Amino acid sequence: MLTDRQLFILQIIIDDFIRSAQPVGSRNLSKKEDVLYSPATIRNEMADLEEMGFLEKTHTSSGRVPSEKGYRYYVDHLLSPGSLARSEQTAIHSIFADRQNGIEKAVQNVATILSELTSYTSIVLGPKFNDHKVKNLQIIPIDRESAVAIIVTDTGHVENRLFSLPEGIEAADIEKMVNILNDRLTGVPLSDLHRKIYHETAELMKRHIQNYEAVLKMFAEAAGGSELGKLFIGGKTNIFNQPEFRDIEKVRLVMDMMEKENEIYELVRPTKAGIRVKIGTENAEQAMEDCSLITASYSVGDEPVGTIAILGPKRMEYSRVITLVDFLSHDMTNVLTRLYNTGS
Amino acid sequence: MLTDRQLFILQIIIDDFIRSAQPVGSRNLSKKEDVLYSPATIRNEMADLEEMGFLEKTHTSSGRVPSEKGYRYYVDHLLSPGSLARSEQTAIHSIFADRQNGIEKAVQNVATILSELTSYTSIVLGPKFNDHKVKNLQIIPIDRESAVAIIVTDTGHVENRLFSLPEGIEAADIEKMVNILNDRLTGVPLSDLHRKIYHETAELMKRHIQNYEAVLKMFAEAAGGSELGKLFIGGKTNIFNQPEFRDIEKVRLVMDMMEKENEIYELVRPTKAGIRVKIGTENAEQAMEDCSLITASYSVGDEPVGTIAILGPKRMEYSRVITLVDFLSHDMTNVLTRLYNTGS
DNA sequence: TGTTAGCACTCTTTATATACGAGTGCTAAA
DNA sequence: TTTAGCACTCGTATATAAAGAGTGCTAACA
């Protein structure tokens, strides 16, 4: 349906617009050294491309601007693969080189480096710990009324939660309880913990400990707390650099959204799909209608556990960002898979 | 030096400007029902106030705008005390009513409510845990190479850290070590922990456990992690509402600063002083030159442990905000003091 | 002596007209 | 099929004028 020349011109127009943020006209295009057609020819092709919906005009006699459909086609069919500079590769590898600081710090660094490398806003959803298995449970009494429940996983992650002790419980009871829980629950994945707590230990504890229910409830809650990983956002203010966000109301919309964690979670829910590109109104959120979002999930083994994403203007350097996000997500998958699968 | 009438006029001008964000002229002022002077009289007084540096003009024939010196005088001498609506008081009290969720959640709520109540940006520095005392220490081995160190305080706060185990350490050794540490360190404040670990336990452990040093080091590090409380910022985008921040570059400066935690820490370092008001360039930070910051620290007993603050335009509702921040900081001091002093 | 009316002046804002330039669509010629 | 040419459109920039809000100063008034 599209001739080679139309493809070529569409690609050049979008490339140019991504660089300059200015509507591109036939005259300027034809002056480029690798463009051999006259302005008139280009105008004809442009008119066709516009009719097909790939280009738009900002007003009757302006140059052309890519439409969302145009970007979509560009991303699906016209992207040149692109490769990473060696310096970028080493930057990425180095994030996980020093594992001493723990996963969270590393994930935090991913967000920072992503935003610095791209000049866009980065979103990183840290790995969820559902699959991690209970290594050890503790209940530390604080005073007569309260205690802290602690869950340590086989990956070194620690969940903790303060809770009120039932009236008149004895230190010996607590110890008994901890023993039962450790005995029955060690090795259970966090995602199963809630169920197992009630099914496997309730009967037993009922016999030994009065008022066991309140305690079980708190434990179950502590376990359920981390179904989703932690969210990190890097370069929140990078959007100020984009000329199409000179309008303060647009910036505000995006900024507002970035403060709402649950909306962000929706955007970056981990999936098995590879790179996902959402352009403008392809994003459900109203606030994203002038933005594009590129996401890729990373996995432990086959199970997607987290996501990295880049949020930028529709006029985004798709090629570069996709390459980068692809590389990084695979790198994270490798590192995490090695880390967690040898551990268990 | 200032006549009563000058004080009165200065106050009305600033009040008016805070409300309207518009330079205020003599004519409009004189039309107010509680102003009995003619425009000409007011102009004369205005000229005097300007000469003394309390007012400024944006251009030769504009109305007057308060200078920083004007705001300063207003805050120091002209503030009407103001009181909180009952609904606001209950909103504040209710934050700590439900202690179940732990301090951190409560502090988070403080930030949210502060920004909602004021329409400015709120900054809340959570309580530091230096004074809290060790209740219990644990070392949970994860695999042959690593373990998690856990410190529980008498306030229910939990610190944890993953560390590498020295080669060839035995499970029995670890247990012995935990016993020694608990024996010696229970009741020690976190701020002393680092020192005590080396002074009081090193000798003893040396005798019992080979390669104890690496382990001690990790424990000491875990303890040192929380010298400062956690930072919460509410209503980051509220600044977009301020007409003097229509300029995107100004917004950017402020937004950029809000992303830099260490700069924020400098602004809200807890002190014993009461309410502090910093107007415009009284703040050292370049980015704050068009903002005012109102801070108040809250304490446990006599020891300031955290800070709440409101960041807004220089044209801020000082009276309201000061009343609110004062009330809230005292409330927090009361609640926390009761909570932590009865606990120990 | 303090207050006020009057007036000329300043400066911003808004509206209007004009010129300029980048770009288009269409027609006709190559 | 391609391209040169040309009239036309529309946004941007510039100049000019008019309106309006506010000031400072002078002189009159109580």
Side-chain angles (χ1 to χ4, degrees), chain A residues 135-140 142 148-153 156-161, chain B residues 133-142 147-153 156-163 174 177-178 181-182 185-186 190 193 197 215 218-223:
Chain A
K135 187 78 190 181
N136 191 276
L137 302 170
Q138 297 279 333
I139 297 178
I140 312 288
I142 299 298
V148 176
I150 297 177
I151 303 176
V152 183
T153 71
H157 182 75
V158 176
E159 287 285 327
N160 69 274
R161 194 181 171 93
Chain B
K133 302 187 184 65
V134 172
K135 188 77 190 182
N136 191 276
L137 302 170
Q138 297 279 333
I139 297 179
I140 313 289
I142 300 298
V148 176
I150 297 177
I151 304 176
V152 184
T153 71
H157 182 74
V158 176
E159 287 284 328
N160 70 274
R161 195 183 170 88
L162 189 65
F163 68 96
I174 292 178
M177 196 156 97
V178 171
L181 288 170
N182 270 306
L185 297 177
T186 300
L190 286 190
L193 195 54
I197 282 178
V215 182
M218 291 318 289
F219 242 113
E221 268 179 38

Short mmCIF file of all heavy atoms in Angstrom, two decimals, chain A residues 135-140 142 148-153 156-161, chain B residues 133-142 147-153 156-163 174 177-178 181-182 185-186 190 193 197 215 218-223:
data_model
loop_
_atom_site.label_atom_id
_atom_site.label_comp_id
_atom_site.label_asym_id
_atom_site.label_seq_id
_atom_site.Cartn_x
_atom_site.Cartn_y
_atom_site.Cartn_z
N LYS A 135 12.17 -18.01 54.90
CA LYS A 135 13.37 -18.62 55.47
C LYS A 135 13.22 -18.71 56.99
O LYS A 135 13.61 -19.68 57.61
CB LYS A 135 14.59 -17.76 55.13
CG LYS A 135 15.91 -18.37 55.51
CD LYS A 135 16.30 -19.43 54.49
CE LYS A 135 17.50 -20.23 54.99
NZ LYS A 135 17.88 -21.25 53.99
N ASN A 136 12.64 -17.66 57.52
CA ASN A 136 12.57 -17.61 58.98
C ASN A 136 11.50 -16.61 59.42
O ASN A 136 11.31 -15.57 58.82
CB ASN A 136 13.94 -17.15 59.50
CG ASN A 136 14.05 -17.33 61.00
OD1 ASN A 136 13.60 -16.47 61.76
ND2 ASN A 136 14.62 -18.45 61.44
N LEU A 137 10.81 -16.97 60.50
CA LEU A 137 9.81 -16.08 61.08
C LEU A 137 10.20 -15.76 62.51
O LEU A 137 10.73 -16.61 63.21
CB LEU A 137 8.43 -16.76 61.08
CG LEU A 137 7.91 -17.20 59.72
CD1 LEU A 137 6.67 -18.08 59.89
CD2 LEU A 137 7.59 -15.99 58.88
N GLN A 138 9.95 -14.53 62.91
CA GLN A 138 10.26 -14.15 64.28
C GLN A 138 9.12 -13.30 64.84
O GLN A 138 8.46 -12.57 64.11
CB GLN A 138 11.53 -13.30 64.33
CG GLN A 138 12.79 -14.01 63.87
CD GLN A 138 13.38 -14.88 64.95
OE1 GLN A 138 13.20 -14.62 66.14
NE2 GLN A 138 14.08 -15.94 64.53
N ILE A 139 8.91 -13.42 66.12
CA ILE A 139 8.04 -12.46 66.81
C ILE A 139 8.83 -11.90 67.98
O ILE A 139 9.26 -12.65 68.86
CB ILE A 139 6.76 -13.12 67.33
CG1 ILE A 139 5.93 -13.65 66.14
CG2 ILE A 139 5.94 -12.13 68.14
CD1 ILE A 139 4.67 -14.36 66.57
N ILE A 140 9.07 -10.60 67.92
CA ILE A 140 9.85 -9.97 68.98
C ILE A 140 8.90 -9.12 69.82
O ILE A 140 8.36 -8.13 69.32
CB ILE A 140 10.94 -9.05 68.39
CG1 ILE A 140 11.72 -9.76 67.29
CG2 ILE A 140 11.85 -8.53 69.49
CD1 ILE A 140 12.64 -10.83 67.75
N ILE A 142 7.71 -6.27 72.16
CA ILE A 142 8.26 -4.95 72.47
C ILE A 142 7.90 -4.57 73.91
O ILE A 142 8.74 -4.16 74.69
CB ILE A 142 7.68 -3.89 71.50
CG1 ILE A 142 8.07 -4.25 70.07
CG2 ILE A 142 8.16 -2.51 71.87
CD1 ILE A 142 9.55 -4.26 69.83
N VAL A 148 6.64 -7.20 67.29
CA VAL A 148 6.95 -7.04 65.88
C VAL A 148 7.03 -8.42 65.24
O VAL A 148 7.69 -9.31 65.77
CB VAL A 148 8.30 -6.32 65.69
CG1 VAL A 148 8.66 -6.25 64.23
CG2 VAL A 148 8.26 -4.94 66.30
N ALA A 149 6.31 -8.57 64.15
CA ALA A 149 6.42 -9.79 63.37
C ALA A 149 7.43 -9.57 62.25
O ALA A 149 7.39 -8.55 61.59
CB ALA A 149 5.06 -10.17 62.79
N ILE A 150 8.32 -10.52 62.07
CA ILE A 150 9.36 -10.38 61.05
C ILE A 150 9.37 -11.62 60.16
O ILE A 150 9.31 -12.75 60.67
CB ILE A 150 10.74 -10.20 61.69
CG1 ILE A 150 10.78 -8.91 62.51
CG2 ILE A 150 11.84 -10.22 60.64
CD1 ILE A 150 12.08 -8.68 63.24
N ILE A 151 9.40 -11.39 58.86
CA ILE A 151 9.51 -12.50 57.92
C ILE A 151 10.77 -12.30 57.10
O ILE A 151 10.93 -11.26 56.47
CB ILE A 151 8.30 -12.53 56.97
CG1 ILE A 151 6.99 -12.63 57.76
CG2 ILE A 151 8.43 -13.69 55.99
CD1 ILE A 151 5.75 -12.57 56.89
N VAL A 152 11.65 -13.27 57.12
CA VAL A 152 12.85 -13.22 56.30
C VAL A 152 12.70 -14.23 55.17
O VAL A 152 12.30 -15.37 55.41
CB VAL A 152 14.12 -13.55 57.11
CG1 VAL A 152 15.37 -13.40 56.26
CG2 VAL A 152 14.21 -12.65 58.33
N THR A 153 12.99 -13.80 53.94
CA THR A 153 12.86 -14.73 52.81
C THR A 153 14.22 -15.31 52.45
O THR A 153 15.26 -14.83 52.90
CB THR A 153 12.32 -14.04 51.55
OG1 THR A 153 13.33 -13.17 51.04
CG2 THR A 153 11.08 -13.22 51.88
N GLY A 156 16.85 -12.94 51.26
CA GLY A 156 17.38 -11.91 52.14
C GLY A 156 16.47 -10.72 52.32
O GLY A 156 16.83 -9.74 52.95
N HIS A 157 15.29 -10.80 51.75
CA HIS A 157 14.34 -9.71 51.91
C HIS A 157 13.66 -9.83 53.27
O HIS A 157 13.38 -10.93 53.73
CB HIS A 157 13.31 -9.78 50.79
CG HIS A 157 12.31 -8.67 50.84
ND1 HIS A 157 12.62 -7.39 50.45
CD2 HIS A 157 11.02 -8.66 51.24
CE1 HIS A 157 11.55 -6.63 50.60
NE2 HIS A 157 10.57 -7.36 51.08
N VAL A 158 13.43 -8.69 53.91
CA VAL A 158 12.82 -8.69 55.24
C VAL A 158 11.52 -7.89 55.23
O VAL A 158 11.50 -6.75 54.80
CB VAL A 158 13.78 -8.09 56.29
CG1 VAL A 158 13.10 -8.02 57.65
CG2 VAL A 158 15.06 -8.91 56.38
N GLU A 159 10.46 -8.51 55.67
CA GLU A 159 9.19 -7.82 55.89
C GLU A 159 8.97 -7.70 57.39
O GLU A 159 9.25 -8.64 58.13
CB GLU A 159 8.02 -8.63 55.32
CG GLU A 159 7.92 -8.64 53.81
CD GLU A 159 7.39 -7.33 53.28
OE1 GLU A 159 6.57 -6.68 53.96
OE2 GLU A 159 7.84 -6.94 52.18
N ASN A 160 8.47 -6.58 57.83
CA ASN A 160 8.18 -6.52 59.26
C ASN A 160 6.95 -5.67 59.52
O ASN A 160 6.57 -4.82 58.71
CB ASN A 160 9.37 -5.95 60.01
CG ASN A 160 9.57 -4.50 59.70
OD1 ASN A 160 10.22 -4.14 58.73
ND2 ASN A 160 9.00 -3.62 60.50
N ARG A 161 6.35 -5.91 60.66
CA ARG A 161 5.10 -5.22 60.97
C ARG A 161 4.86 -5.24 62.47
O ARG A 161 5.01 -6.25 63.13
CB ARG A 161 3.96 -5.94 60.26
CG ARG A 161 2.70 -5.14 60.25
CD ARG A 161 1.62 -5.91 59.56
NE ARG A 161 0.40 -5.22 59.76
CZ ARG A 161 -0.09 -4.33 58.93
NH1 ARG A 161 0.55 -4.05 57.82
NH2 ARG A 161 -1.22 -3.69 59.19
N LYS B 133 16.15 2.35 71.67
CA LYS B 133 17.10 1.40 72.25
C LYS B 133 16.90 0.02 71.66
O LYS B 133 15.79 -0.36 71.28
CB LYS B 133 16.89 1.37 73.76
CG LYS B 133 17.06 2.75 74.40
CD LYS B 133 17.01 2.69 75.91
CE LYS B 133 17.09 4.11 76.48
NZ LYS B 133 15.91 4.93 76.13
N VAL B 134 18.00 -0.68 71.62
CA VAL B 134 17.96 -2.03 71.04
C VAL B 134 17.08 -2.93 71.91
O VAL B 134 17.23 -2.99 73.12
CB VAL B 134 19.36 -2.62 70.96
CG1 VAL B 134 19.29 -4.08 70.55
CG2 VAL B 134 20.20 -1.83 69.97
N LYS B 135 16.15 -3.59 71.28
CA LYS B 135 15.32 -4.54 71.99
C LYS B 135 15.81 -5.96 71.72
O LYS B 135 15.82 -6.81 72.59
CB LYS B 135 13.87 -4.40 71.51
CG LYS B 135 12.87 -5.21 72.31
CD LYS B 135 12.56 -4.52 73.63
CE LYS B 135 11.76 -5.40 74.55
NZ LYS B 135 11.43 -4.69 75.81
N ASN B 136 16.20 -6.15 70.47
CA ASN B 136 16.57 -7.50 70.10
C ASN B 136 17.40 -7.50 68.82
O ASN B 136 17.16 -6.70 67.92
CB ASN B 136 15.29 -8.32 69.87
CG ASN B 136 15.59 -9.79 69.74
OD1 ASN B 136 15.94 -10.26 68.67
ND2 ASN B 136 15.47 -10.51 70.85
N LEU B 137 18.39 -8.37 68.79
CA LEU B 137 19.21 -8.52 67.58
C LEU B 137 19.08 -9.94 67.06
O LEU B 137 18.96 -10.88 67.84
CB LEU B 137 20.68 -8.26 67.92
CG LEU B 137 20.99 -6.88 68.52
CD1 LEU B 137 22.41 -6.84 69.03
CD2 LEU B 137 20.76 -5.82 67.46
N GLN B 138 19.09 -10.07 65.74
CA GLN B 138 18.99 -11.40 65.15
C GLN B 138 19.96 -11.49 63.96
O GLN B 138 20.22 -10.50 63.28
CB GLN B 138 17.58 -11.66 64.62
CG GLN B 138 16.50 -11.67 65.66
CD GLN B 138 16.43 -12.99 66.40
OE1 GLN B 138 16.79 -14.03 65.87
NE2 GLN B 138 15.98 -12.93 67.65
N ILE B 139 20.46 -12.67 63.77
CA ILE B 139 21.17 -12.95 62.52
C ILE B 139 20.53 -14.18 61.91
O ILE B 139 20.53 -15.26 62.52
CB ILE B 139 22.67 -13.20 62.75
CG1 ILE B 139 23.33 -11.94 63.31
CG2 ILE B 139 23.34 -13.61 61.44
CD1 ILE B 139 24.80 -12.10 63.60
N ILE B 140 19.96 -14.02 60.74
CA ILE B 140 19.30 -15.14 60.08
C ILE B 140 20.14 -15.56 58.88
O ILE B 140 20.28 -14.79 57.93
CB ILE B 140 17.90 -14.73 59.57
CG1 ILE B 140 17.11 -13.98 60.64
CG2 ILE B 140 17.15 -15.95 59.04
CD1 ILE B 140 16.65 -14.82 61.78
N PRO B 141 20.72 -16.74 58.90
CA PRO B 141 21.51 -17.19 57.75
C PRO B 141 20.59 -17.48 56.56
O PRO B 141 19.51 -18.07 56.74
CB PRO B 141 22.17 -18.49 58.25
CG PRO B 141 21.90 -18.55 59.72
CD PRO B 141 20.68 -17.75 59.97
N ILE B 142 21.00 -17.04 55.41
CA ILE B 142 20.22 -17.28 54.21
C ILE B 142 20.76 -18.49 53.45
O ILE B 142 20.04 -19.39 53.07
CB ILE B 142 20.27 -16.04 53.28
CG1 ILE B 142 19.69 -14.83 54.00
CG2 ILE B 142 19.52 -16.32 51.98
CD1 ILE B 142 18.26 -14.97 54.40
N ALA B 147 23.85 -13.72 55.13
CA ALA B 147 22.90 -13.73 56.24
C ALA B 147 22.28 -12.35 56.35
O ALA B 147 22.76 -11.39 55.74
CB ALA B 147 23.61 -14.10 57.53
N VAL B 148 21.18 -12.25 57.10
CA VAL B 148 20.54 -10.97 57.31
C VAL B 148 20.70 -10.59 58.78
O VAL B 148 20.42 -11.40 59.66
CB VAL B 148 19.05 -11.03 56.96
CG1 VAL B 148 18.36 -9.72 57.28
CG2 VAL B 148 18.86 -11.40 55.51
N ALA B 149 21.18 -9.37 59.02
CA ALA B 149 21.24 -8.85 60.38
C ALA B 149 19.99 -8.02 60.62
O ALA B 149 19.60 -7.22 59.77
CB ALA B 149 22.48 -7.99 60.56
N ILE B 150 19.35 -8.23 61.76
CA ILE B 150 18.11 -7.52 62.07
C ILE B 150 18.24 -6.85 63.44
O ILE B 150 18.70 -7.49 64.39
CB ILE B 150 16.91 -8.48 62.07
CG1 ILE B 150 16.71 -9.07 60.67
CG2 ILE B 150 15.64 -7.78 62.54
CD1 ILE B 150 15.60 -10.09 60.60
N ILE B 151 17.88 -5.61 63.50
CA ILE B 151 17.86 -4.90 64.78
C ILE B 151 16.44 -4.43 65.04
O ILE B 151 15.86 -3.72 64.22
CB ILE B 151 18.79 -3.68 64.75
CG1 ILE B 151 20.22 -4.11 64.38
CG2 ILE B 151 18.77 -2.96 66.10
CD1 ILE B 151 21.17 -2.93 64.24
N VAL B 152 15.87 -4.83 66.17
CA VAL B 152 14.54 -4.35 66.55
C VAL B 152 14.72 -3.39 67.73
O VAL B 152 15.44 -3.70 68.67
CB VAL B 152 13.63 -5.52 66.97
CG1 VAL B 152 12.23 -5.01 67.29
CG2 VAL B 152 13.58 -6.57 65.88
N THR B 153 14.06 -2.23 67.64
CA THR B 153 14.18 -1.28 68.74
C THR B 153 12.98 -1.38 69.67
O THR B 153 11.98 -2.02 69.35
CB THR B 153 14.23 0.17 68.22
OG1 THR B 153 12.93 0.52 67.74
CG2 THR B 153 15.24 0.30 67.10
N GLY B 156 9.63 -0.57 68.24
CA GLY B 156 9.04 -1.39 67.20
C GLY B 156 9.63 -1.14 65.82
O GLY B 156 9.17 -1.70 64.84
N HIS B 157 10.62 -0.29 65.75
CA HIS B 157 11.26 -0.03 64.47
C HIS B 157 12.24 -1.17 64.14
O HIS B 157 12.90 -1.69 65.03
CB HIS B 157 12.01 1.30 64.56
CG HIS B 157 12.67 1.69 63.27
ND1 HIS B 157 11.97 2.16 62.20
CD2 HIS B 157 13.97 1.67 62.90
CE1 HIS B 157 12.81 2.42 61.21
NE2 HIS B 157 14.03 2.13 61.60
N VAL B 158 12.29 -1.54 62.88
CA VAL B 158 13.16 -2.64 62.47
C VAL B 158 14.16 -2.18 61.42
O VAL B 158 13.78 -1.61 60.41
CB VAL B 158 12.33 -3.81 61.89
CG1 VAL B 158 13.24 -4.91 61.38
CG2 VAL B 158 11.37 -4.36 62.92
N GLU B 159 15.42 -2.40 61.69
CA GLU B 159 16.47 -2.17 60.70
C GLU B 159 16.99 -3.51 60.22
O GLU B 159 17.14 -4.43 61.03
CB GLU B 159 17.65 -1.42 61.34
CG GLU B 159 17.40 0.03 61.65
CD GLU B 159 17.45 0.88 60.40
OE1 GLU B 159 18.22 0.55 59.47
OE2 GLU B 159 16.72 1.88 60.35
N ASN B 160 17.25 -3.64 58.93
CA ASN B 160 17.83 -4.91 58.51
C ASN B 160 18.80 -4.71 57.38
O ASN B 160 18.75 -3.70 56.68
CB ASN B 160 16.72 -5.85 58.08
CG ASN B 160 16.08 -5.41 56.80
OD1 ASN B 160 15.18 -4.59 56.79
ND2 ASN B 160 16.56 -5.91 55.70
N ARG B 161 19.68 -5.66 57.22
CA ARG B 161 20.73 -5.53 56.22
C ARG B 161 21.28 -6.90 55.85
O ARG B 161 21.56 -7.73 56.72
CB ARG B 161 21.84 -4.65 56.79
CG ARG B 161 22.79 -4.16 55.75
CD ARG B 161 23.90 -3.36 56.39
NE ARG B 161 24.92 -3.10 55.43
CZ ARG B 161 24.91 -2.06 54.61
NH1 ARG B 161 23.96 -1.17 54.70
NH2 ARG B 161 25.87 -1.91 53.73
N LEU B 162 21.43 -7.07 54.54
CA LEU B 162 22.00 -8.31 54.03
C LEU B 162 23.52 -8.21 54.08
O LEU B 162 24.07 -7.16 53.77
CB LEU B 162 21.54 -8.49 52.59
CG LEU B 162 21.82 -9.80 51.87
CD1 LEU B 162 21.05 -10.94 52.52
CD2 LEU B 162 21.44 -9.67 50.40
N PHE B 163 24.20 -9.24 54.50
CA PHE B 163 25.68 -9.19 54.46
C PHE B 163 26.28 -10.54 54.13
O PHE B 163 25.61 -11.58 54.26
CB PHE B 163 26.24 -8.63 55.77
CG PHE B 163 26.05 -9.53 56.95
CD1 PHE B 163 27.06 -10.38 57.36
CD2 PHE B 163 24.87 -9.50 57.66
CE1 PHE B 163 26.90 -11.21 58.46
CE2 PHE B 163 24.68 -10.33 58.76
CZ PHE B 163 25.70 -11.18 59.16
N ILE B 174 27.31 -18.63 64.93
CA ILE B 174 26.37 -17.53 64.75
C ILE B 174 25.45 -17.43 65.95
O ILE B 174 25.23 -16.34 66.49
CB ILE B 174 25.55 -17.74 63.46
CG1 ILE B 174 26.46 -17.59 62.24
CG2 ILE B 174 24.41 -16.74 63.40
CD1 ILE B 174 25.76 -17.80 60.93
N MET B 177 27.19 -15.95 68.78
CA MET B 177 27.39 -14.53 68.56
C MET B 177 26.13 -13.74 68.87
O MET B 177 26.16 -12.70 69.54
CB MET B 177 27.77 -14.33 67.11
CG MET B 177 28.37 -13.01 66.84
SD MET B 177 29.38 -13.14 65.37
CE MET B 177 28.27 -12.53 64.19
N VAL B 178 25.01 -14.22 68.37
CA VAL B 178 23.75 -13.52 68.61
C VAL B 178 23.50 -13.43 70.10
O VAL B 178 23.06 -12.39 70.61
CB VAL B 178 22.59 -14.26 67.91
CG1 VAL B 178 21.25 -13.68 68.34
CG2 VAL B 178 22.75 -14.18 66.41
N LEU B 181 25.74 -10.74 71.56
CA LEU B 181 25.30 -9.41 71.16
C LEU B 181 24.05 -9.00 71.93
O LEU B 181 23.95 -7.90 72.46
CB LEU B 181 25.02 -9.38 69.65
CG LEU B 181 26.26 -9.43 68.75
CD1 LEU B 181 25.86 -9.65 67.30
CD2 LEU B 181 27.07 -8.14 68.87
N ASN B 182 23.09 -9.89 72.01
CA ASN B 182 21.87 -9.56 72.73
C ASN B 182 22.15 -9.30 74.20
O ASN B 182 21.61 -8.37 74.81
CB ASN B 182 20.84 -10.69 72.60
CG ASN B 182 19.95 -10.49 71.39
OD1 ASN B 182 19.34 -9.43 71.26
ND2 ASN B 182 19.89 -11.47 70.52
N LEU B 185 24.10 -5.82 74.28
CA LEU B 185 23.64 -4.62 73.58
C LEU B 185 22.17 -4.27 73.80
O LEU B 185 21.71 -3.20 73.43
CB LEU B 185 23.89 -4.77 72.07
CG LEU B 185 25.37 -4.90 71.69
CD1 LEU B 185 25.51 -5.11 70.19
CD2 LEU B 185 26.16 -3.67 72.12
N THR B 186 21.41 -5.15 74.42
CA THR B 186 20.01 -4.82 74.66
C THR B 186 19.93 -3.57 75.55
O THR B 186 20.65 -3.46 76.55
CB THR B 186 19.29 -5.99 75.35
OG1 THR B 186 19.36 -7.13 74.48
CG2 THR B 186 17.84 -5.65 75.60
N LEU B 190 20.51 3.40 69.72
CA LEU B 190 21.12 3.18 68.40
C LEU B 190 22.33 4.08 68.18
O LEU B 190 23.30 3.68 67.55
CB LEU B 190 20.09 3.45 67.29
CG LEU B 190 19.00 2.41 67.09
CD1 LEU B 190 18.24 2.71 65.82
CD2 LEU B 190 19.60 1.01 67.02
N LEU B 193 25.32 2.53 69.46
CA LEU B 193 25.52 1.13 69.10
C LEU B 193 26.86 0.90 68.43
O LEU B 193 27.59 -0.04 68.77
CB LEU B 193 24.37 0.68 68.18
CG LEU B 193 24.23 -0.82 68.01
CD1 LEU B 193 24.12 -1.50 69.36
CD2 LEU B 193 23.00 -1.13 67.17
N ILE B 197 29.49 -1.64 70.06
CA ILE B 197 29.77 -2.90 69.38
C ILE B 197 31.26 -3.18 69.42
O ILE B 197 31.70 -4.29 69.76
CB ILE B 197 29.28 -2.85 67.91
CG1 ILE B 197 27.78 -3.06 67.87
CG2 ILE B 197 29.97 -3.91 67.08
CD1 ILE B 197 27.19 -2.99 66.48
N VAL B 215 31.58 -9.58 60.54
CA VAL B 215 30.20 -9.61 61.02
C VAL B 215 29.89 -8.36 61.84
O VAL B 215 28.86 -7.72 61.65
CB VAL B 215 29.96 -10.88 61.87
CG1 VAL B 215 28.51 -10.92 62.32
CG2 VAL B 215 30.32 -12.12 61.07
N MET B 218 29.27 -5.35 59.68
CA MET B 218 27.95 -5.29 59.05
C MET B 218 26.88 -4.83 60.04
O MET B 218 26.02 -4.03 59.72
CB MET B 218 27.57 -6.67 58.50
CG MET B 218 28.39 -7.13 57.32
SD MET B 218 28.70 -5.83 56.11
CE MET B 218 27.06 -5.65 55.42
N PHE B 219 27.00 -5.33 61.23
CA PHE B 219 26.04 -4.92 62.24
C PHE B 219 26.13 -3.43 62.53
O PHE B 219 25.13 -2.72 62.61
CB PHE B 219 26.29 -5.71 63.55
CG PHE B 219 25.13 -6.55 63.93
CD1 PHE B 219 25.21 -7.92 63.93
CD2 PHE B 219 23.93 -5.95 64.28
CE1 PHE B 219 24.13 -8.71 64.26
CE2 PHE B 219 22.84 -6.73 64.63
CZ PHE B 219 22.94 -8.10 64.61
N ALA B 220 27.33 -2.97 62.65
CA ALA B 220 27.53 -1.55 62.93
C ALA B 220 26.94 -0.70 61.80
O ALA B 220 26.31 0.33 62.03
CB ALA B 220 29.02 -1.27 63.08
N GLU B 221 27.12 -1.16 60.59
CA GLU B 221 26.59 -0.41 59.45
C GLU B 221 25.08 -0.37 59.45
O GLU B 221 24.46 0.66 59.19
CB GLU B 221 27.08 -1.03 58.14
CG GLU B 221 28.37 -0.42 57.64
CD GLU B 221 28.82 -1.09 56.36
OE1 GLU B 221 27.95 -1.43 55.53
OE2 GLU B 221 30.04 -1.30 56.21
N ALA B 222 24.49 -1.51 59.75
CA ALA B 222 23.03 -1.56 59.79
C ALA B 222 22.50 -0.57 60.81
O ALA B 222 21.49 0.09 60.61
CB ALA B 222 22.56 -2.97 60.13
N ALA B 223 23.20 -0.43 61.90
CA ALA B 223 22.77 0.47 62.96
C ALA B 223 22.89 1.93 62.53
O ALA B 223 22.05 2.76 62.85
CB ALA B 223 23.59 0.23 64.22
#
